[in-house]
């Protein structure tokens, strides 16, 4: 589908990731749990899960993704007029993660800054809000910074444990983007009040009704996709589709479900998976579930694998947030994407992530329980603002304010 000059051209201009320093190999975790490794590796379709250390939190992951975005894209904090953080693992009930980012990145004071929460849908809520902010004229030439940042934690030994992960995706949204033009105003939504996955405010670990959550996801996909088809059926067929990926197998189930709605047999739907979905699953398999960022990690994988081949083609995007709200929408990959993707070096942080043993991971999880209350050093270094360095969390001060510095 060619870009038409008479239409609003708004979308994703650049993308960057950040992940914690360490990951756990799921084959090793399975062996430690006395589970057949094939259950995690092929039954769930996961390979690794990134694990945050006590000095890594959703703020540091988000800041580090945004710093990489500025360093690699050529954009500057001065360009930003809207900063939205989607997260379901915020660090404060009142002060938004976006306010920490605003300070640590040195964004302009003339900037709308807020956090969006709706389980894994919060990042998409931020993205669509940013697109509509630009379409409304409020942006006045400025760009939006949308950051999806989360640490997925379930109880040790629970069925959810092998589907953990941690990381952030930063997206630069602006007019005349270079990576993907989004189809403004053409989204299919679905919502329903369900208890498939939740985290009461006194819990650090998520609670989940696992098999019910899978069914809720599929029902939401069907609802959002049918609505999208009604609105956007005049477009070109979708060359690829990126799904919310809590674990790889979920994307496989989702794709089968969606393509059978299109009228394909189960076999034909499954056969289309290798071409239409698989290229988007490499980074999710290496990082695990990053909740709000999971769909955009899949999109980052797709850019990395196939930006050249996809120029001018339409890609479907499905976002699911438990609770639940879902949205199906689409965009067109732009010709400038391929050279820019090479320059962005999207998976650089994932290549730098180091394997930790299962006992090391379990020790980190034990420390995790008290990280939010750990006292910061008495005279911490002043927080460094701007786009350089790697942010770390030091602890809380005497008034329980979180303290950050550069590593
Ligand atoms: N070799 C190969 N495959 C094996 C196997 C083996 N030895 N043993 C089991 N399997 C297969 C099973 O057949 C099953 O495959 P299918 O789904 O195709 O039937 C798969 O491995 C998983 O096995 P189980 O269903 O027995 O696994 P489980 O009960 O231990 O837990 C889960 C699975 C419910 C997904 C659990 O991991 C969980 O609760 N995860 C967190 C919730 C989640 O991610 N939900 C997804 C939808 S909600 C959402 O998307 C929001 C979000 O981000 C959380």
């Amino acid at each position: 589908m060619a870009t038409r000059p008479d239409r609003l051209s708004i979308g994703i201009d650049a993308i960057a990731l950040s992940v914690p320093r360490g990951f756990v190999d799921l084959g090793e975790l399975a062996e430690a749990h006395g589970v057949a490794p094939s259950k995690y590796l092929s039954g769930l379709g996961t390979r690794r899960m990134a694990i945050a250390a006590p000095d890594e939190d959703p703020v540091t992951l988000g800041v580090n993704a945004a710093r990489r975005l500025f360093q690699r894209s050529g954009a500057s904090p001065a360009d930003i007029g809207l900063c939205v953080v989607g997260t379901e693992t915020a660090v404060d009930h009142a002060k938004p993660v976006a306010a920490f980012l605003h300070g640590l990145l040195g964004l302009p004071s003339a900037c709308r800054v807020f956090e969006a929460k709706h389980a894994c849908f919060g990042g998409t809520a931020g993205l669509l809000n940013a697109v509509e902010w630009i379409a409304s004229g409020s942006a006045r030439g400025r760009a939006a910074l949308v950051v999806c940042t989360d640490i997925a934690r379930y109880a040790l030994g629970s069925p959810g444990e092998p589907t953990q992960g941690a990381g952030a995706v930063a997206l630069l949204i602006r007019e005349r983007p270079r990576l993907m033009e989004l189809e403004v105003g053409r989204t299919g939504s679905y919502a329903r009040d369900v208890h498939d996955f939740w985290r009461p405010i006194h819990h650090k670990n998520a609670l989940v009704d696992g098999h019910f959550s899978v069914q809720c996801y599929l029902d939401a996909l069907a609802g959002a996709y049918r609505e999208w088809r009604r609105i956007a059926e005049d477009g070109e067929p979708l060359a690829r589709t990126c799904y919310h990926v809590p674990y790889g197998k979920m994307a496989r189930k989702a794709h089968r479900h969606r393509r059978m709605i299109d009228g394909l047999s189960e076999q034909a739907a499954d056969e289309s998976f290798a071409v239409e979905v698989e290229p988007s699953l490499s980074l999710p398999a290496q990082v695990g579930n990053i909740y709000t960022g999971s769909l955009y990690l899949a999109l980052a994988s797709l850019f990395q694998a196939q930006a050249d081949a996809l120029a001018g083609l339409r890609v479907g995007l499905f976002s699911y947030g438990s609770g639940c709200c879902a949205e199906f929408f689409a965009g067109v990959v732009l010709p400038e994407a391929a050279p820019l993707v090479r320059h962005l070096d999207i998976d650089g942080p994932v290549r730098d992530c180091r394997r930790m043993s299962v006992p090391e991971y379990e020790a980190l999880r034990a420390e995790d329980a008290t990280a939010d209350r750990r006292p910061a050093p008495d005279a911490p270094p002043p927080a460094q603002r701007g786009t350089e360095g790697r942010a770390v969390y030091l602890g809380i001060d005497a008034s329980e304010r979180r303290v950050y510095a550069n590593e």
Side-chain angles (χ1 to χ4, degrees):
M1 190 197 238
T3 307
R4 292 204 319 255
D6 58 337
R7 199 179 63 203
L8 287 172
S9 171
I10 303 172
I12 303 174
D13 185 68
I15 189 165
L17 315 180
S18 96
V19 290
R21 295 183 203 92
F23 71 84
V24 170
D25 178 280
L26 283 163
E28 289 179 24
L29 186 71
E31 275 167 25
H33 285 180
V35 171
S38 58
K39 173 169 178 182
Y40 293 173
L41 302 177
S42 70
L44 292 173
T46 51
R47 281 178 39 217
R48 295 173 175 178
M49 55 187 194
I51 299 296
D55 64 350
E56 297 173 311
D57 73 3
V59 172
T60 67
L61 292 168
V63 168
N64 293 332
R67 285 184 173 166
R68 189 171 171 87
L69 184 80
F70 287 124
Q71 289 160 11
R72 297 256 158 192
S73 70
S76 128
D79 301 336
I80 304 299
L82 171 67
C83 169
V84 193
V85 173
T87 184
E88 58 184 284
T89 49
V91 295
D92 192 291
H93 292 309
K95 180 167 174 166
V97 171
F100 288 97
L101 262 64
H102 180 264
L104 291 167
L105 295 168
L107 299 182
S109 55
C111 190
R112 184 180 296 164
V113 174
F114 64 95
E115 181 178 298
K117 182 184 78 178
H118 186 137
C120 304
F121 182 72
T124 300
L127 168 66
L128 296 177
N129 182 279
V131 169
E132 287 156 14
W133 173 75
I134 295 170
S136 75
S138 297
R140 299 186 302 278
R142 293 170 298 168
L145 172 65
V146 177
V147 178
C148 310
T149 181
D150 272 304
I151 297 177
R153 281 192 199 88
Y154 298 93
L156 297 186
S158 71
E161 186 187 359
T163 68
Q164 297 176 127
V169 181
L171 301 165
L172 189 67
I173 310 300
R174 67 182 345 158
E175 274 188 270
R176 292 175 295 283
R178 291 171 291 176
L179 291 182
M180 173 178 269
E181 188 180 289
L182 293 169
E183 296 176 11
V184 180
R186 284 154 62 103
T187 73
S189 313
Y190 174 94
R192 186 176 153 216
D193 177 6
V194 283
H195 255 101
D196 60 332
F197 167 104
W198 62 105
R199 189 166 66 87
I201 51 178
H202 52 283
H203 277 243
K204 191 126 187 171
N205 296 331
L207 304 178
V208 62
D209 187 344
H211 292 279
F212 179 55
S213 74
V214 171
Q215 193 53 51
C216 290
Y217 178 124
L218 294 176
D219 291 347
L221 170 61
Y225 183 58
R226 286 201 171 97
E227 176 69 0
W228 179 80
R229 284 211 332 177
R230 200 177 60 74
I231 295 162
E233 65 187 348
D234 56 331
E236 299 285 324
L238 300 175
R240 305 284 182 274
T241 299
C242 297
Y243 297 90
H244 169 60
V245 191
Y247 54 95
K249 178 67 98 44
M250 187 71 238
R252 190 176 280 276
K253 289 178 195 281
H255 188 67
R256 174 190 287 175
H257 200 62
R258 184 178 75 76
R259 295 300 268 141
M260 288 178 73
I261 291 173
D262 287 335
L264 266 58
S265 67
E266 187 173 299
Q267 187 185 346
D270 286 350
E271 282 168 4
S272 69
F273 178 83
V275 170
E276 295 181 14
V277 184
E278 212 154 69
S280 67
L281 296 182
S282 161
L283 288 172
Q286 294 175 69
V287 177
N289 192 0
I290 57 167
Y291 289 161
T292 50
S294 150
L295 166 63
Y296 304 101
L297 191 62
L299 180 62
S301 264
L302 183 64
F303 282 136
Q304 173 120 334
Q306 296 192 329
D308 278 302
L310 292 179
L313 297 182
R314 200 179 190 202
V315 172
L317 299 162
F318 175 66
S319 179
Y320 176 73
S322 291
C324 70
C325 184
E327 203 127 344
F328 197 97
F329 54 112
V332 175
V333 178
L334 295 163
E336 302 93 313
L340 179 62
V341 162
R342 283 189 281 279
H343 181 70
L344 291 172
D345 185 26
I346 295 174
D347 69 345
V350 178
R351 289 197 310 272
D352 293 341
C353 199
R354 295 284 159 251
R355 192 183 70 76
M356 67 174 79
S357 67
V358 173
E360 280 173 304
Y361 149 66
E362 288 172 349
L364 278 190
R365 280 295 296 258
E367 274 186 68
D368 215 25
T370 53
D372 288 331
R373 297 191 302 276
R374 187 180 67 223
D378 280 341
Q384 282 143 304
R385 299 175 190 282
T387 59
E388 296 303 318
R390 185 179 174 103
V392 287
Y393 163 66
L394 296 180
I396 55 170
D397 72 9
S399 301
E400 300 205 29
R401 290 177 292 219
R402 293 175 84 89
V403 181
Y404 293 91
N406 272 5
E407 199 166 39

